[in-house]
Amino acid sequence: MSSSLRRGALAAALALSIAPLAACGAGNNAQTHEVRPDNAATTVGDIQVQNAVILTEKAGSGPASVSARIYNNGNGDQTLQSLKVGDALTATLSGTAGSKTVTVPAHGSVLLGGEGNAAATIPNSNEAFKDGDFQRIALQFSATGEVALEANVLPAAGYYEKYGPSSTPSPAAEPSAKTTPTATGTPENGGKATPTGTATPTDTGTPTGTGTPTKKS
């Protein structure tokens, strides 16, 4: 076989091998469209933080939130006590039961963001964030201490919409005041009755006459 024929056969085989790959990437539902870029991740001690992002409202106003998967590879539970963004912003933490801290179980994980999950919300912060920027976030844990990393700022749209600020759970309601009893019950049996007033005598006895002594003989 001549060299020109060999080159032609090689080119044909190469074209056939590329064709299925091109078909896989075509169309709106292509698998490559589901691939998301790597997000911030770090490991400090027993704590591992993955896919950390700061999500802003689509309208460009209102609160923002931090979404991340937190793993605890240790033998004891750890508590996420605080989460700060940048130099001055502190997120409001909400546990799944409405608590103000988030517990990461031993050899388990917690997802921040999304309906029914724990949340870290930064109120009225969109003026400080710009989509596409990076911000330093610092997570403070009960045993490991501070875990810091740089997180990308993204709009809560598309894939991230269900993890954004609008999905933050509401904190558990606290009683507004202690109830005070307005009256005391009166015991029926076995209790001591409390008098409501003092008894006043209505009359005094008055002798009707005086005794006359008898004369001794």
Side-chain angles (χ1 to χ4, degrees), residues 153-171:
V153 180
L154 299 172
Y159 171 82
Y160 292 108
E161 183 174 5
K162 58 185 176 181
Y163 302 107
S166 60
S167 65
T168 301
S170 300

Side-chain angles (χ1 to χ4, degrees), residues 2-3 11 24 34 38 45 55 83 102 106 119 146-147 170 172 175 180-181 184 204:
S2 64
S3 60
C24 291
E34 298 178 4
D38 292 336
L55 301 176
L83 190 154
V102 177
E146 184 179 277
V147 177
S170 300
T180 302
T184 57
T204 58

Side-chain angles (χ1 to χ4, degrees), residues 6 14 24 54 103 107 110 126 190 201:
R6 286 198 296 270
L14 182 60
C24 291
I54 300 171
T103 299
H107 300 290
V110 165
N126 278 46

